[in-house]
Every structure is written in structure tokens, then in C-alpha cells.
Amino acid sequence: MSARLLRGIAELTTNDPSLGDGSPLGRLTDAAMVLDDDAVVWVGPASRAPAADHAVDLGGRAVVPGFVDSHTHLVFAGERSDEFAARLAGQPYDGGGIRRTVAATRAASSADLLAAARHRRDRAHRTGTTTIEVKSGYELTVEGEVRLLEVAEEVTDEVTFLGAHVVPPEYAGDRESYVELVAGEMMVACAPRARWADVFCERGAFSVEEARVILTAARQHGLGLRVHGNQLGPGAGVALAVELQAASVDHCTHLSDEDVAMLAGSSTVATLLPGAEFFSGDPAPSGRRLLDAGATVALATDCNPGTSYLTSMATAIWLAVREMGLSPDEALWAATAGGARALCRTDVGNLGVGARADLVVLDAPRAVHLAYRFGDVIGEVMTARGTPGSSRVPA
Ligand code: NIG
Ligand code: FE
């Protein structure tokens, strides 16, 4: 095992409140840290840094935890730029385009799907993402969803079964049978390949009652729960997620005061996806309102071809700052520790002693430059041994 000393860190964000300034960001200035192949083994002032086998001087740059992108749809074929043009012309998003991506994905080879997913994952990694969640949801058959989960497993450890994305065309006249399939045979085939299940609970996708059936079955199969809720309009997606103690409810674009209060009183993380509103031209929800109420907020990209073709968490950070009322520090926390909470992980999203050695060296002296310079300050991305997407993982 080799220890590396990083010194010359002008500002170190650890997200460990027991370190540094004692804030949620656990921030130190003029800091150093020691990493082994897997984990952070020491953090402290540069003046007290221990000796190590290798020392790297970062020359007064800032270090932050690697970003945790807790919501992506990376495995898909084709693109829908024509829909983006329609959005620009004022046509609203209704989820109908998902079926076009389903058709393109069904027609693609597994090799092509894997290459495309790897490519997107690698782009995310280059822009600082060291943990990434990936959903299925673009085949909507038993064999097809299994195939997408197998592709997802190749690019990440955080795999989500989203058989309940929309009702596929062949079940258009019989949605009850599709819900039965997802909660039954498809769940049995998919659960062993996933850590999570998600449902798009929205008008035009699945009702609250349908979502409850599917998520309850998922829980019985040992999966953690996630919900796409309150994206296109007000609804009971958030209430359902809180009722079922889902790890996260994502989008949260249209929230009532009751929804906000429920989230604040729960363990369910409110995940905001600023790329989706920006891409679609919709008003962004207020992250400020959620934070002021006491909810836990995460930021993610929602990378997908229909509402947010975004791989960069650094971009999500500056969008959240400008569009959602988060401070630069709150946005950074939400993109790191918040994402980790949304995935029920304590080993990522922070740089306390024992955390995975996943970090981003910024080409900037302070983390605020992530917002100030539109995310364009990602320097070197370092990852623990075995991180999917890490340059240290043999191809
Ligand atoms: O998170 N809302 C559901 N799913 C995606 C969009 C998928 C698509 O349009 O292809 C989302 O926005
Ligand atoms: Fe999504």
C-alpha cells in the first residue's frame, strides 16, 4: 500500500463537520491530506502533515470531494434534438418522447449501448463525478430491462431498475397488465441486478396507486426506493415517496407547502435536477425554500436525451446557484454529501478520514469558483482503487 501526501491545498472542503471550521462543509485552509489507494487516512493543517511515500504539491489549489450524481439515465440509444427545438418553440414536455428512445434502444446492440454509456460515464468522470447512479427504463420488456441493467452494472455500482418509466406501446390498451408485469415477472428478473427501483409517478406515466404497487414489490425484493415525482405538475409523488421512506424523490419541480413540510420531516432526500428545467425552459423550483424548511437537498444531472442531456455536475452546481437560490457552498454540499445521502452512502461525498479517496482538484484557489466560473475549473479527478470509471480500473 502506498501513501500519497497532497499538500499546497489552499482550501479543502471535507463535508466532515468535525474538521476545520466546524461548518457542514468541514473546511480547512492551507491544508494537507494523506491518501492510500482506497481511502483518506489523514487530514489537517499543512504545518502538521506527516511524512508519506509520495508528496504532491497542489500549488495553492482547492480540493473538493468527488461529485455524487445520484440520478442519470445513461443507457440509451439515439437522440431527440428535434424535441429540444420543439421546446424552444414553446411546446411543453409530456414524457411522450420516452417511447421514441425506447424504440431506438430496443434496436441497438448491447455493444453499442455499452460503448455509449461508457462514453457518457467517462465524460461525467472528467468533469468531477466519481460516483454515479444509472437507471434502466428504455426497453420496458423483461429481457430488455435485464439487458440495460447488465450494461449499467458495467459502468457503476449504483444501478436502478426503472421498468416503470412509461407504459410501452404494446400495453397501451392494458396498462394494468403492464403494472402487473413490472411488479411481478420483471421485478423477479431485474431485482438481482439492481440496488434501487424507481417509478415515474406523474400524469402520463404511472399513478400513485400504480407506483405504490410497484415500489412495494420492489421493497419485498430487497431494493431501495426512489421516485420521479412532482416533475410536470403538482401531485402526490412526494407524499408517496415520504410514505414509503424512499431514499430520494427527484425533480420536486412543483411542490406545495405540505410537500415541503413532509420532506423536511422525513429522511427522504429532495433531489433537484436544474438541468431539466434549464433544458426545458421551465421555471426552476426554489431550493432555498426546501433548505429553509429543513429538508435535505441533493443535486444531480438527470442525464437523458429528452429533458437534460447533461453529464457535468459542475454545471448543475452553477445552475442551482443562479436558478434555485442555493449558495455556492450549499450547492457544492448538495452535489457531494447530498448525493451521497440520496444513495444512502457514507463512504463517498466527503473527505473525512476513512472516506473513499475520491476528490477533485480545482484549477482555482477556492470552491466558490465552481459557481463563479460556470463550472469550468475542474482540474485533476482522483479516485480510490476500484471506482467504476476510474483511470486506475483496468479496461
Ligand atoms: O427524468 N421523467 C422521466 N424521465 C426522464 C426523461 C426521460 C426522457 O424524456 O427520455 C426525466 O426527466
Ligand atoms: Fe430522470
Side-chain angles (χ1 to χ4, degrees):
M1 180 181 31
S2 69
R4 279 176 299 161
L5 168 67
L6 304 185
R7 63 178 181 222
I9 305 174
E11 182 195 82
L12 173 62
T13 301
T14 65
N15 289 339
D16 180 343
S18 73
L19 295 170
D21 63 1
S23 75
L25 280 290
R27 190 163 267 159
L28 294 85
T29 49
D30 195 11
M33 62 195 305
V34 179
L35 315 172
D36 67 17
D37 288 340
D38 301 311
V40 177
V41 294
W42 183 88
V43 175
S47 57
R48 289 205 228 125
D53 308 340
H54 307 287
V56 182
D57 189 343
L58 298 182
R61 295 192 286 168
V63 169
V64 299
F67 302 133
V68 179
D69 189 350
S70 59
H71 182 143
T72 82
H73 307 251
L74 283 195
V75 191
F76 65 85
E79 54 94 17
R80 287 162 33 211
S81 52
D82 53 347
E83 281 184 36
F84 179 60
R87 259 352 47 90
L88 294 175
Q91 195 179 307
Y93 176 81
D94 65 2
I98 294 172
R99 292 182 188 86
R100 297 175 65 203
T101 298
V102 168
T105 305
R106 286 178 176 177
S109 72
S110 298
D112 285 350
L113 287 172
L114 178 56
R118 275 214 173 109
H119 180 74
R120 294 176 194 122
R121 191 275 317 273
D122 291 347
R123 289 193 83 86
H125 187 261
R126 283 201 295 280
T127 47
T129 298
T130 51
T131 302
I132 192 164
E133 180 262 15
V134 176
K135 301 176 199 299
S136 67
Y138 285 120
E139 290 225 37
L140 311 179
T141 62
V142 175
E143 301 71 29
E145 288 295 302
V146 166
R147 182 169 86 118
L148 297 187
L149 293 172
E150 284 170 351
V151 170
E153 276 178 312
E154 294 288 320
V155 298
T156 188
D157 296 335
E158 295 290 348
V159 174
T160 299
F161 166 51
L162 179 59
H165 201 179
V166 288
V167 174
E170 58 275 19
Y171 283 89
D174 186 12
R175 49 184 306 119
E176 220 174 287
S177 296
Y178 187 67
V179 171
E180 218 172 274
L181 178 73
V182 175
E185 189 189 338
M186 203 184 279
M187 189 69 69
V188 169
C190 290
R193 293 175 172 83
R195 180 167 183 234
W196 304 100
D198 194 346
V199 173
F200 185 16
C201 181
E202 196 82 41
R203 200 162 11 96
F206 294 88
S207 70
V208 178
E209 293 70 32
E210 291 166 339
R212 188 184 281 107
V213 168
I214 293 162
L215 291 167
T216 304
R219 169 169 290 157
Q220 280 161 1
H221 282 79
L223 298 180
L225 308 184
R226 327 188 67 73
V227 178
H228 274 74
N230 300 53
Q231 174 183 4
L232 306 180
V238 165
L240 179 70
V242 170
E243 173 198 319
L244 296 179
Q245 295 179 301
S248 181
V249 56
D250 301 36
H251 283 276
C252 295
T253 312
H254 299 271
L255 297 183
S256 66
D257 290 345
E258 292 71 33
D259 292 327
V260 172
M262 266 188 276
L263 285 165
S266 79
S267 60
T268 300
V269 173
T271 299
L272 302 179
L273 309 168
E277 285 87 24
F278 189 70
F279 184 103
S280 307
D282 296 330
S286 169
R288 182 80 275 124
R289 181 181 177 212
L290 283 160
L291 287 172
D292 288 349
T296 302
V297 170
L299 284 176
T301 63
D302 194 21
C303 182
N304 78 79
T307 63
S308 181
Y309 209 150
L310 170 70
T311 49
S312 164
M313 285 291 282
T315 299
I317 287 174
W318 68 257
L319 280 173
V321 169
R322 280 319 283 164
E323 305 283 320
M324 294 178 156
L326 270 59
S327 73
D329 279 349
E330 287 166 341
L332 174 60
W333 191 93
T336 50
R341 292 263 183 104
L343 293 173
C344 300
R345 298 272 299 263
T346 54
D347 59 332
V348 298
N350 77 89
L351 292 172
V353 172
R356 286 180 72 91
D358 293 347
L359 58 89
V360 185
V361 181
L362 303 181
D363 281 332
R366 297 202 295 137
V368 67
H369 283 235
L370 279 162
Y372 169 51
R373 286 157 61 191
F374 299 90
D376 195 17
V377 292
I378 304 302
E380 195 180 348
V381 183
M382 298 183 186
T383 51
R385 181 172 51 188
T387 302
S390 152
S391 49
R392 293 202 241 155
V393 177

